Amino acid sequence: MVLLFGPLSAQAGNLLIRVQGNQSDAPLYLGLVSADQPGWEPLLRTQQGAGDQLILKDVPPGRFALQLYQDANGNGRLDLSPRGIPLEPVGFSANPSLLKGKPVPKAAQFEHGDDDTLLDIRLHPPRGKVQKD
């Protein structure tokens, strides 16, 4: 008997990330982590892109968290103030409040199954800088 469908394996769908609040053509960077880990390192996947939609292909099922930032000055990293406050637009899956600072992955978790998962992530502009007289 010939096997027509090939070996059965775990499905891996895509993550489709729609970015809300994108105000420029600056590159977007995203990092994917397991939602069960206490912090944002190590990243399982990273990606750079542009526009209002990004795609991470072939992500196996699981619980994940995603962080996103827009590199407004093009230096390839998220710039932070001396107190650790982002100086560039940032966003997280599940769009948690940022009033208490950067959320832990569990606060930004989402469930990804065998099929594609659509995520809407809102970019938060950096807090206004205090102008010096």
Side-chain angles (χ1 to χ4, degrees), residues 101-123:
K102 187 175 187 177
V104 295
K106 188 170 186 156
Q109 74 180 343
F110 64 91
E111 188 78 31
H112 175 60
D114 295 336
D115 296 322
D116 293 348
T117 299
L118 176 63
L119 300 170
D120 288 310
I121 297 182
R122 183 175 57 253
L123 279 178

Side-chain angles (χ1 to χ4, degrees), residues 37-54:
Q37 64 189 49
W40 290 94
E41 296 292 334
L43 295 173
L44 299 173
R45 297 245 188 125
T46 60
Q47 181 171 327
Q48 178 184 353
D52 292 333
Q53 185 163 328
L54 301 171

Side-chain angles (χ1 to χ4, degrees), residues 10-65:
Q11 295 292 316
N14 299 330
L15 294 180
L16 311 170
I17 300 106
R18 288 192 301 205
V19 181
Q20 300 170 350
N22 187 352
Q23 297 293 317
S24 75
D25 293 332
L28 295 165
Y29 290 85
L30 64 85
L32 182 71
V33 300
S34 169
D36 297 325
Q37 64 189 49
W40 290 94
E41 296 292 334
L43 295 173
L44 299 173
R45 297 245 188 125
T46 60
Q47 181 171 327
Q48 178 184 353
D52 292 333
Q53 185 163 328
L54 301 171
I55 299 173
L56 277 178
K57 294 184 181 255
D58 301 323
V59 177
R63 289 183 333 144
F64 299 100

